[in-house]
Amino acid sequence: MPTQAPSENAKQEENIAFKVPDKGVFVSEYNEQIFRATRMPETVKILDTTLRDGEQTPNVALSIDDKLKIAQALDELGVDIIEAGFPVNSEGEAEAVKRIAAAGLKSEVCGLCRASKLDIDAALTCDVDSIHIFLATSKVHLEKKLKISRGEAVEKAVTAVQYGKDHGLIVEFSCEDGTRTDLEFLNTVHKAIEEAGVDRIDIPDTVGVMTPQAMMQFVSEIKKTTKVPLAVHCHDDFGLSVANSLAGILGGAEEVHCTINGLGERAGNAALEEVVMGLQAFYGIKTRINTRKMAFVSRLVSQLTGIAVQPNKAIVGENAFSHEAGIHVHGVLSESSTYEPMRPEIVGKERVFVVGKHSGVHAVQNKLKEYGLDLTGDQLKEVVARIKKYAESGKKLDDAELLAVAYDEISEEKEPVIRLEEFTVFTGLNFTPTATVVLNIDGDVRRASETGVGPIDASLSAIRTAVSKNIVLKQYRLEAITGGSNALCEVTVKLGDCEDSQLLALGKSVGSDIVTTSVDATVEALNRLWMHKLGANGDKVKRKAY
Ligand code: MN
């Protein structure tokens, strides 16, 4: 998993400027005809509320440092406004907002406030550029939650907006639960706050109860009586937040509230990545977002919040550009637009071919090529048949297992060349872990001892010393299969050769002792690497790979 944003900028301009349907997005022509007939803004502002509504996701709590990291990533991503938090909520929250406001970001930094001086003062202390004031206006919220009259609500709203403007802030205002507020009263509040100098008005679908058709109509009605720019803030309770956000734009809004990965209260908010790609791909509407950084920011937010992105999520999900079915893999390899509506690099992703039950020869061939293996047509057919057989018995093969099948198919050498004859390891407290291995490499007995930070490290070092220092450990994965201290573990080891980057081999072993299981997996990988280095069928004369 990359931990750094891709080091590019060169394509940024082209990316921001791209129009339907060229530059790697392949939407339907029918869609295009419809959108050309619709009135839309040229650009849309993105307010990202990952750090506010997103942080209100159940079980999410971010440290101040994490918030700062996310804010910096959002700034680089190109969001126009960062809603950094709710300063009055706690000292820690205020501190985070303060540090984000002081970080010298290009984005406007905004603090959330209720319609009260206390809240606005807290935001002022943080030195934010703007505040987002919210006050519920629907009947149920006024009567059951706030217990105030409509008249009192208007007064509170106006007083708060005036207070913010008197202190030199940019003020955005939300009538909370706006989509369940009657339109006439909503317009009354909007008119009053416009007179008080509000800069932007947001229309929140607080509990996600609109349809796209209704949202478009609702926003266009509001647009008739307001002068300041409108925003929409949609929740995903019915899975319509992105559709409703796009509909809000078609209705005349010029700003969208979104979160990375669609985090947010309950079912979440509209996902930034989906809204931005939807605006660009379907309507040719530009935003300042550098879409090539979206996958990176998505991963960062997922890591820091601990909320995994569902694999089948649009745009940034692990499967968004993965192909398994044989027909699809064949299609994508010939021309990606057959089964991909956009090129993965546009959103910072890579295309992945997964080998499984639905795979055909092309996917398997492609996957084996990643490991430098070139099989004949007959061999490939045999490997595919075996994979399907495994899959039908409910077993999904990972890369290591696929390679094991492939090697078994191509190798005449059924016995391993390298065998582990002896293995000892010592470890303990205040003791340097030390391992000794004796390997028999086709009759040549090699012995080596090494120390390491732990018993596995010492063992793998000893194996390298015995065979060759050119061998590098590329990946080590340990998984517990069952629970308890007597659990079975599964170890996957990926080895490479520092002189030949094409040489890669995987080994996998299951056992109850993590050290011996690791050693077994390594010896298995080593045998494959050895065979690989000699050529798949082994060089009968020149038997020494290392
Ligand atoms: Mn919300």
Side-chain angles (χ1 to χ4, degrees):
M1 191 177 275
T3 51
Q4 276 192 319
S7 59
E8 45 65 38
N9 264 329
K11 298 258 173 174
Q12 186 170 348
E13 268 188 29
E14 166 212 301
N15 178 31
I16 287 172
F18 86 66
K19 286 241 176 186
V20 183
D22 53 358
K23 304 281 203 284
V25 181
F26 319 101
V27 297
S28 105
E29 276 177 36
Y30 185 75
N31 240 320
E32 263 200 276
Q33 289 165 18
I34 300 291
F35 107 79
R36 291 199 194 287
T38 318
R39 173 184 60 92
M40 278 168 308
E42 275 219 347
T43 62
V44 161
K45 277 191 177 177
I46 300 293
L47 179 146
D48 181 281
T49 183
T50 306
L51 295 172
R52 202 278 301 166
D53 217 326
E55 212 221 2
Q56 286 169 228
T57 303
N59 300 317
V60 168
L62 292 162
S63 72
I64 294 176
D65 284 342
D66 289 349
K67 286 187 182 181
L68 197 62
K69 267 186 218 159
I70 292 175
Q72 275 155 346
L74 292 172
D75 186 49
E76 281 174 36
L77 184 66
V79 311
D80 298 279
I81 306 154
I82 297 174
E83 186 163 70
F86 191 3
V88 82
N89 186 47
S90 72
E91 269 178 38
E93 182 115 8
E95 182 61 25
V97 176
K98 194 182 279 182
R99 281 181 52 193
I100 292 166
L105 307 180
K106 290 184 288 299
S107 312
E108 173 187 317
V109 176
C110 178
L112 184 74
C113 303
R114 286 169 302 182
S116 88
K117 281 186 183 169
L118 179 76
D119 289 33
I120 298 169
D121 284 338
L124 282 166
T125 317
C126 299
D127 208 14
V128 291
D129 303 308
S130 61
I131 52 172
H132 170 204
I133 305 172
F134 72 100
L135 179 73
T137 49
S138 65
K139 195 162 176 279
V140 62
H141 277 249
L142 285 177
E143 286 175 7
K144 306 287 179 189
K145 185 182 85 172
L146 298 175
K147 300 187 187 345
I148 56 171
S149 70
R150 284 183 161 183
E152 285 167 303
V154 175
E155 203 181 296
K156 270 173 89 87
V158 167
T159 309
V161 170
Q162 275 168 350
Y163 191 71
K165 289 315 292 176
D166 286 348
H167 288 82
L169 293 164
I170 300 170
V171 177
E172 179 161 332
F173 193 96
S174 282
C175 286
E176 191 188 14
D177 206 16
T179 55
R180 290 196 300 183
T181 301
D182 85 60
L183 198 51
E184 202 183 323
F185 179 56
L186 199 61
N187 283 333
T188 307
V189 182
H190 289 164
K191 195 163 190 293
I193 56 176
E194 270 195 341
E195 278 164 15
V198 79
D199 297 283
R200 304 188 292 254
I201 290 174
D202 174 53
I203 304 158
D205 186 24
T206 302
V207 286
V209 288
M210 292 297 264
T211 61
Q213 291 83 347
M215 194 69 187
M216 182 171 162
Q217 186 69 25
F218 197 66
V219 176
S220 58
E221 284 298 324
I222 293 166
K223 184 92 183 159
K224 285 181 190 163
T225 59
T226 47
K227 293 180 210 74
V228 299
L230 297 177
V232 286
H233 176 111
C234 300
H235 275 272
D236 209 35
D237 297 75
F238 283 84
L240 290 174
S241 60
V242 172
N244 286 339
S245 300
L246 299 181
I249 298 298
L250 300 189
E254 290 148 86
E255 178 187 316
V256 195
H257 289 201
C258 330
T259 58
I260 300 296
N261 299 337
L263 292 178
E265 290 270 13
R266 306 182 311 281
N269 290 62
L272 180 144
E273 47 283 358
E274 296 173 22
V275 168
V276 168
M277 287 315 293
L279 286 173
Q280 293 196 357
F282 298 129
Y283 307 113
I285 296 175
K286 293 176 218 162
T287 65
R288 282 185 53 244
I289 299 298
N290 177 358
T291 59
R292 283 162 205 267
K293 290 194 169 158
M294 292 198 303
F296 163 74
V297 182
S298 160
R299 278 194 296 267
L300 178 77
V301 168
S302 169
Q303 276 170 13
L304 296 180
T305 57
I307 304 284
V309 174
Q310 73 190 63
N312 58 326
K313 180 177 176 311
I315 318 287
V316 294
E318 198 187 319
N319 293 353
F321 298 95
S322 294
H323 309 276
E324 180 182 309
I327 295 164
H328 286 224
V329 171
H330 186 210
V332 168
L333 285 170
S334 323
E335 166 53 48
S336 72
S337 67
T338 51
Y339 289 107
E340 281 177 356
M342 66 190 104
R343 297 210 193 282
E345 57 271 22
I346 287 179
V347 298
K349 297 277 289 179
E350 277 173 15
R351 180 174 301 129
V352 178
F353 294 111
V354 177
V355 169
K357 179 181 169 179
H358 310 99
S359 301
V361 167
H362 290 97
V364 174
Q365 184 178 35
N366 205 65
K367 179 59 81 180
L368 292 176
K369 270 190 181 155
E370 283 176 28
Y371 291 93
L373 285 183
D374 219 345
L375 273 65
T376 66
D378 284 348
Q379 287 170 332
L380 275 172
K381 270 186 205 152
E382 193 53 41
V383 171
V384 171
R386 285 174 67 179
I387 292 167
K388 285 187 198 274
K389 219 168 165 184
Y390 280 117
E392 274 152 19
S393 63
K395 171 102 182 86
K396 191 194 172 313
L397 297 192
D398 62 19
D399 283 10
E401 291 156 333
L402 169 68
L403 284 179
V405 172
Y407 272 111
D408 193 54
E409 198 51 49
I410 59 179
S411 172
E412 292 170 6
E413 202 81 59
K414 296 297 177 192
E415 288 298 310
V417 178
I418 303 169
R419 277 173 293 122
L420 183 69
E421 293 207 329
E422 274 178 41
F423 168 61
T424 44
V425 63
F426 293 99
T427 187
L429 200 62
N430 296 325
F431 181 85
T432 308
T434 310
T436 303
V437 293
V438 179
L439 292 170
N440 184 323
I441 306 176
D442 202 29
D444 174 13
V445 178
R446 301 190 196 175
R447 177 188 302 270
S449 296
E450 285 292 345
T451 58
V453 293
I456 294 173
D457 185 45
S459 308
L460 302 194
S461 288
I463 293 173
R464 278 183 68 217
T465 305
V467 183
S468 167
K469 291 281 190 194
N470 282 349
I471 295 163
V472 276
L473 180 66
K474 292 276 190 186
Q475 199 186 74
Y476 173 86
R477 203 174 70 224
L478 169 69
E479 273 168 85
I481 299 178
T482 50
S485 61
N486 59 351
L488 278 180
C489 68
E490 182 184 275
V491 176
T492 309
V493 169
K494 189 189 224 178
L495 297 179
D497 183 311
C498 67
E499 284 182 345
D500 183 353
S501 62
Q502 295 292 307
L503 276 177
L504 284 174
L506 285 168
K508 182 170 176 173
S509 186
V510 174
S512 51
D513 178 320
I514 61 167
V515 182
T516 54
T517 307
S518 300
V519 169
D520 286 343
T522 309
V523 172
E524 189 180 76
L526 208 48
N527 270 298
R528 299 215 174 110
L529 196 70
W530 184 282
M531 201 187 335
H532 207 152
K533 197 161 166 109
L534 291 178
N537 293 314
D539 185 330
K540 298 278 185 219
V541 187
K542 191 177 122 238
R543 305 267 323 180
K544 285 213 169 18
Y546 292 101

